[in-house]
């Protein structure tokens, strides 16, 4: 599993940009780590001063430097202002696992931003970081977080204190997506390459569909 990302690569979605943290993010990080609405379902120590936020940014830089995590500031696509954070912690190269964490300013709740950011980071975790299992912890009273994890296919695997523990595995190549009375629709795998090569070079394909230069 790849764990060295210095700095974290910029990820973009339809409305968001996920970028590395900067020292100038301290005022917004202070809000993320002091707003009671954000901290309600966590055990995060409440930040008392902006210096606490600066210290947290420094700590994150150290974690990333050691290859123990990778984290992003969530920003609107055409802006630089941080509105949330999302990260992978506790990277385990032996087990190829990572723990997911996220927070979002209340002004941006219920607008689909968390889902948008999570989709990009999950894709990164499985396809770039090469994790085989991603875990997440959520307070069992945090309905929004529980709903978000359910949306992405996380399964509850245990309980740790007041947290429910969820996990999702790397989707196996070739998994069956739909079935009909006579057909099975599954993901393509590398073993399908010969069939696809023969198909797009068959006389009828070339005549009626066109040469795909495969």
């Amino acid at each position: 599993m790849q764990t060295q990302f210095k700095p974290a690569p910029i990820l973009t979605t339809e409305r968001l940009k996920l970028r590395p943290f900067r020292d100038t993010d301290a005022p917004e990080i202070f809000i993320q780590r002091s707003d009671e609405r954000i901290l309600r379902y966590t055990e995060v120590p409440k930040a008392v001063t902006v210096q606490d936020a600066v210290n947290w940014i420094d700590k994150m830089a150290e974690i990333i430097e050691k290859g123990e995590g990778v984290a992003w500031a969530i920003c609107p696509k055409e802006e630089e202002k941080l509105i949330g954070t999302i990260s992978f912690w506790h990277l385990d190269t032996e087990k190829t696992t990572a723990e997911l964490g996220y927070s979002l300013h209340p002004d941006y709740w219920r607008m689909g931003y968390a889902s948008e950011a999570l989709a990009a980071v999950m894709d990164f975790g499985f396809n770039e970081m090469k994790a085989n299992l991603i875990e997440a912890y959520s307070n069992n009273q945090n309905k929004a977080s529980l709903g978000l994890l359910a949306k992405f296919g996380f399964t509850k695997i245990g309980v740790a204190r007041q947290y429910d523990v969820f996990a999702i595995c790397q989707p196996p190549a070739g998994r069956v997506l739909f079935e009909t009375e006579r057909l099975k629709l599954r993901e393509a795998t590398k073993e399908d390459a010969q069939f696809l090569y023969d198909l797009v070079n068959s006389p009828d394909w070339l005549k009626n569909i066109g040469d795909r230069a495969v």
Side-chain angles (χ1 to χ4, degrees):
M1 185 172 80
Q2 171 70 354
T3 63
Q4 296 292 335
F5 297 98
K6 300 179 291 184
I10 294 175
L11 307 179
T12 58
T13 70
E14 182 181 355
R15 298 179 296 167
L16 299 173
K17 176 169 65 177
L18 279 59
R19 60 163 175 78
F21 295 116
R22 302 167 181 166
D23 292 341
T24 52
D25 292 326
E28 281 73 37
I29 291 293
F30 174 71
I31 294 172
Q32 293 287 319
R33 302 187 69 80
S34 63
D35 191 308
E36 296 288 355
R37 296 169 295 176
I38 299 173
L39 301 183
R40 179 180 178 186
Y41 296 115
T42 76
E43 294 180 342
V44 172
K46 185 176 181 178
V48 178
T49 67
V50 174
Q51 185 58 46
D52 292 333
V54 173
N55 294 342
W56 184 85
I57 293 173
D58 290 341
K59 179 181 178 182
M60 288 304 304
E62 182 180 348
I63 288 173
I64 294 169
E65 179 70 27
K66 292 179 179 178
E68 296 174 354
V70 56
W72 296 267
I74 303 173
C75 306
K77 199 167 189 178
E78 303 304 324
E79 302 178 28
E80 293 299 323
K81 182 179 179 180
L82 181 152
I83 63 171
T85 67
I86 191 164
S87 59
F88 286 122
W89 308 78
H90 303 141
L91 304 185
D92 189 320
T93 56
E94 183 177 344
K95 297 179 180 178
T96 60
T97 61
E99 180 184 329
L100 175 70
Y102 46 83
S103 69
L104 194 65
H105 192 284
D107 288 352
Y108 298 89
W109 289 356
R110 294 179 291 275
M111 297 173 67
Y113 285 113
S115 293
E116 206 168 308
L118 188 55
V121 168
M122 292 286 290
D123 180 72
F124 177 87
F126 282 135
N127 296 312
E128 300 298 328
M129 200 163 66
K130 304 300 183 183
N132 284 317
L133 182 79
I134 294 175
E135 296 180 326
Y137 289 68
S138 180
N139 186 292
N140 54 30
Q141 300 299 311
N142 191 343
K143 293 182 179 180
S145 181
L146 296 176
L148 181 65
L149 295 175
K151 177 180 179 179
F152 280 85
F154 280 81
T155 301
K156 183 177 176 179
I157 60 172
V159 178
R161 302 186 304 281
Q162 80 271 32
Y163 295 106
D164 289 342
V165 184
F166 297 84
I168 185 171
C169 294
Q170 168 74 281
R175 63 177 175 164
V176 175
L177 303 176
F178 304 99
E179 288 190 65
T180 70
E181 182 180 351
R182 297 183 298 165
L183 299 176
K184 182 186 297 181
L185 278 66
R186 62 163 174 79
E187 293 177 328
T189 69
K190 293 180 180 179
E191 285 69 32
D192 297 320
Q194 184 64 52
F195 167 79
L196 293 171
Y197 172 79
D198 294 339
L199 176 66
V200 300
N201 287 289
S202 63
D204 285 344
W205 184 286
L206 295 173
K207 177 182 178 181
N208 299 306
I209 300 175
D211 187 352
R212 292 296 184 260
V214 175

